[in-house]
Amino acid sequence: MAARVLACASCHGAEGEGTSDVYFPRLAGKPAGYLYNQLIAFRDGRRRYPPMNYLLEFLPDAYLQKMADHFAALRPPFPAPNIPTDSKEILARGETLVKEGDARSGVPACSACHGPALGGMEPAIPGLLGLRASYISAQLGGWRYGTRTAAAPDCMQIVAGLLSEDDVKAVAAYLSSRPAPNDPSFAPRGSLPMPLECGSQPR
Amino acid sequence: MPRTLTRLIFTLAAALVATSAMAQQKAPDAATLAKGEYLARAGNCIACHTAREGKTFAGGLPMKTPFGTLYTSNITPDPSTGIGTWTSDQFFNMMHNGRFPDGGLVYPAMPFGSYTKVTREDSDAIYAYLRTVPPVKRINTPHDLRFPFNNRSLILGWRTLFFKEGVYKPDSTKSAEWNRGAYLVEGLGHCGMCHTAINALGGSSESQAFEGGLIPMQNWYAPSLTSNKEAGLGDWSLEEIVDYLKKGVSARGAVYGPMAEVVYNSLQYLTDDDARAMAVYLKSLAQGTSPEKAQPPLPSAETSLLVSLGKPIYDRECASCHGAAGLGMPPHYPPLAGNQSIQMVSAVNAIRMVLNGGFPPGTMGNPEPYGMPPFAHRLSDDEVAAVVTFIRTSWGNRGAPVSARQANELRAATLN
């Protein structure tokens, strides 16, 4: 399988660990259901990024599932965390949003669905560690502007719509500054009480 | 006339009317429907008449042309927005003459110039099949064409120049297999829509049939099927051609670009007999034009510089799959040495493969294809030009060098 998906390696690394490009995400160790949903969304144009849309256009579901299973099972080391250049206040705001959310604007905590260790939950909620700030803020922007969408109800579109520009910056700065998790696996299915209905993650 | 005879005539006439009315209403048998479905695949109706994430055959796919954007039509049997009220005569008139039931002219993005070769019997089978697909209510999107191309009467001029109506006529000097292949390639397969150059009037000249051309808007080059210097298949074996058409990979090369779509949606579903028939015909198109021997290249100073820059890039980025001598490991890692697709006069496809990479289509014969990585983000324009020049001029390949400017221009090519 590694040889078949060498096409992915130049952007995502041979083991899906990510590369030096800050916009290309780590794939390794994310739940297979999440990876599969993204592959289908890129293939069918629900998530827009032309190089990915182009590569996947004529690949059948069964093969995309195998690709997802392949990268979900890999556990390459995490990169060194980003050394934050943002102020303590911004990082503290990010930490609050990630761990507690913001009751006033109705933003749920990231950890409510992505897990207290932010490793994600089976089958389709991704881990948030090992990603760069640029990638995280670009994805939150993508949801707000509709270039990234998921099965309805699209919970992340709702969450991204509730965040201010400063919130996005703070969340991205905090998440990218976190060290590698001790246990890089994701939470079992149904183990977290999700505050929002999500089309890709049946409760 | 004796009364009995009159009555007999009346009875017979009544019986005839009843029989023909029954024939009109009689549901087509399963064999006809299966044949219609098969032929609709051979004609690749689904590729254009289904929008991304849209309902099958409900149309709405934007087709960008140099004249503006056309939106494909709903061909489901919905009576108000699809073709549910059409008769088989009207359907045949569309396929054969490019006219709507009201006599209106169809834009030639619909390949009726090819479909005109389809027999009435085959048209009726496709019609019968399309009547059985789920009806979808979706009003056709109006076309968005620039003046003066939004004037449909211009199509009359186009038709005079480029449209020749007529069902395929078998060539009695050729085998049944060859004729079947010609019927599929020239008719439902509408291969000439891409593999014949499109001129400034949006037409393709019969005298240049299958001689290749750049596909407008997509920036992929559809190679000549008649010249062995391009995609002419004169020196391919029938098995290699059949593999290429049905699996998407072969010992000689893999499909990519717009051809990947054709294999994915259409050609992989052909029977072995039909794929072989097409191969026989395609191979014959290129007979007689044997590949020219390489001229000893006389590299200019710039070419030698590009080649010397290209070799280390090749060894670092390409050789692990395509081999130090460009032999590849067919079918999954295509050979580059002697690969026609790399040496064509147009370097567009070779440059785009390096920039964009790509997966051959996942087919029944090759469900888990190996992919080539994109290099657009790893290599500079100079490096792309150098490595493509190296590939086009090494191991006996006789392509011309390419410039950094050509590489740069193709970075902006539409991907998807």
Side-chain angles (χ1 to χ4, degrees):
Chain A
M1 201 59 199
R4 291 181 197 274
V5 296
L6 259 185
C8 317
S10 74
C11 295
H12 296 285
E15 297 203 33
E17 70 275 20
T19 53
S20 58
D21 191 302
V22 295
Y23 287 102
F24 299 147
R26 176 185 178 90
L27 306 176
K30 288 189 176 169
Y34 168 76
L35 294 174
Y36 178 69
N37 286 347
Q38 302 318 303
L39 289 166
I40 296 281
F42 280 126
R43 184 193 65 189
D44 295 344
R46 199 186 305 142
R47 184 172 172 186
R48 289 298 296 164
Y49 182 61
M52 283 294 291
N53 301 133
Y54 159 82
L55 283 170
L56 300 174
E57 193 169 5
F58 305 115
L59 299 179
D61 292 357
Y63 188 30
L64 298 182
Q65 183 69 62
K66 276 201 172 177
M67 283 185 187
D69 293 342
H70 170 73
F71 284 110
L74 296 175
R75 295 288 183 277
F78 277 74
N82 195 26
I83 296 158
T85 51
D86 298 288
S87 69
K88 274 192 187 130
E89 290 73 25
I90 291 177
L91 288 168
R93 170 70 181 157
E95 182 168 11
T96 307
L97 283 164
V98 167
K99 292 183 175 169
E100 296 160 31
D102 185 336
R104 260 185 319 167
S105 47
V107 178
C110 305
S111 59
C113 296
H114 293 272
L118 303 170
M121 174 166 68
E122 282 188 299
I125 298 180
L128 301 179
L129 300 181
L131 302 171
R132 260 68 62 96
S134 301
Y135 175 76
I136 296 170
S137 61
Q139 299 318 302
L140 290 167
W143 263 300
R144 284 167 69 147
Y145 301 113
T147 52
R148 180 169 180 175
T149 60
D154 190 351
C155 50
M156 277 309 298
Q157 192 169 36
I158 298 167
V159 173
L162 295 170
L163 295 172
S164 69
E165 296 283 340
D166 286 346
D167 290 342
V168 170
K169 191 179 171 193
V171 167
Y174 174 72
L175 286 174
S176 62
S177 72
R178 294 289 81 206
N182 294 326
D183 173 13
S185 56
F186 22 80
R189 183 182 196 128
S191 60
L192 299 165
M194 294 162 55
L196 280 176
E197 197 77 50
C198 275
S200 34
Q201 178 88 1
R203 270 200 264 207
Chain B
M1 194 186 281
R3 268 182 68 192
T4 46
L5 190 55
T6 317
R7 279 183 62 161
L8 183 62
I9 290 168
F10 262 104
T11 315
L12 275 175
L16 270 173
V17 170
T19 321
S20 75
M22 271 168 65
Q24 284 272 315
Q25 283 162 18
K26 202 179 76 175
D29 54 58
T32 305
L33 291 178
K35 182 180 168 191
E37 179 174 11
Y38 177 77
L39 294 170
R41 294 269 200 201
N44 206 1
C45 312
I46 197 167
C48 292
H49 286 283
T50 304
R52 286 204 128 183
E53 288 205 290
K55 298 258 171 43
T56 306
F57 295 125
L61 183 79
M63 300 189 81
K64 291 204 175 114
T65 78
F67 315 108
T69 301
L70 293 163
Y71 292 89
T72 59
S73 58
N74 182 346
I75 57 168
T76 70
D78 182 65
S80 58
T81 64
I83 60 170
T85 60
W86 291 24
T87 65
S88 58
D89 285 344
Q90 289 170 332
F91 184 79
F92 183 69
N93 195 32
M94 156 68 82
M95 294 278 284
H96 190 75
N97 287 320
R99 284 186 181 268
F100 289 108
D102 66 3
L105 298 166
V106 175
Y107 280 108
M110 165 76 182
F112 58 84
S114 307
Y115 292 169
T116 190
K117 302 202 178 212
V118 174
T119 62
R120 176 68 201 238
E121 187 191 344
D122 282 356
S123 171
D124 284 353
I126 297 170
Y127 170 81
Y129 162 67
L130 285 176
R131 291 190 70 77
T132 65
V133 306
V136 178
K137 199 174 267 315
R138 194 198 70 82
I139 296 169
N140 285 325
T141 316
H143 299 316
D144 181 15
L145 292 173
R146 291 194 311 276
F147 177 83
F149 308 108
N150 51 1
N151 181 349
R152 268 190 195 256
S153 57
L154 282 183
I155 301 174
L156 273 177
W158 185 93
R159 290 171 66 105
T160 310
L161 288 169
F162 304 116
F163 177 54
K164 201 166 135 210
E165 176 257 324
V167 168
Y168 176 75
K169 287 196 187 65
D171 178 343
S172 58
T173 67
K174 299 287 204 310
S175 68
E177 194 177 36
W178 185 94
N179 275 298
R180 174 68 178 168
Y183 174 71
L184 289 168
V185 168
E186 295 178 14
L188 282 171
H190 63 283
C191 310
M193 286 291 281
C194 288
H195 289 283
T196 302
I198 304 283
N199 56 37
L201 296 173
S204 36
S205 163
E206 203 174 341
S207 66
Q208 296 172 330
F210 302 120
E211 286 185 1
L214 192 72
I215 306 172
M217 313 306 285
Q218 295 192 25
N219 275 311
W220 284 101
Y221 180 79
S224 164
L225 300 179
T226 60
S227 162
N228 283 339
K229 281 186 287 183
E230 296 199 350
L233 301 168
D235 63 345
W236 287 42
S237 73
L238 289 179
E239 191 198 356
E240 285 163 349
I241 305 173
V242 169
D243 280 351
Y244 183 84
L245 296 176
K246 281 196 68 168
K247 295 180 183 169
V249 290
S250 74
R252 303 295 289 265
V255 302
Y256 55 82
M259 193 63 193
E261 183 279 308
V262 179
V263 170
Y264 184 72
N265 282 316
S266 174
L267 297 175
Q268 66 162 315
Y269 297 99
L270 291 181
T271 63
D272 290 344
D273 285 350
D274 275 351
R276 197 181 156 84
M278 283 177 87
V280 165
Y281 173 70
L282 288 169
K283 191 171 161 69
S284 81
L285 278 180
Q287 296 286 349
T289 53
S290 61
E292 278 174 26
K293 275 281 154 248
Q295 297 160 0
L298 294 172
S300 66
E302 195 187 342
T303 309
S304 6
L305 182 66
L306 281 168
V307 170
S308 62
L309 280 172
K311 185 171 185 327
I313 302 170
Y314 181 86
D315 290 341
R316 185 179 78 228
E317 304 281 2
C318 320
S320 62
C321 293
H322 293 287
L327 297 176
M329 283 178 271
H332 294 304
Y333 302 122
L336 305 180
N339 186 325
Q340 293 145 285
S341 168
I342 283 158
Q343 308 170 59
M344 297 185 295
V345 173
S346 166
V348 163
N349 293 2
I351 295 171
R352 288 203 60 181
M353 280 310 291
V354 170
L355 286 173
N356 307 138
F359 276 90
T363 57
M364 290 172 279
N366 183 37
E368 298 177 2
Y370 286 64
M372 155 126 176
F375 288 95
H377 60 292
R378 285 167 75 103
L379 299 179
S380 69
D381 294 339
D382 286 334
E383 290 172 318
V384 171
V387 78
V388 174
T389 297
F390 173 75
I391 291 166
R392 273 166 69 82
T393 56
S394 298
W395 319 301
N397 284 354
R398 51 182 188 277
V402 304
S403 69
R405 191 178 155 187
Q406 281 174 284
N408 180 272
E409 281 167 357
L410 287 166
R411 286 186 187 269
T414 310
L415 271 176
N416 171 269

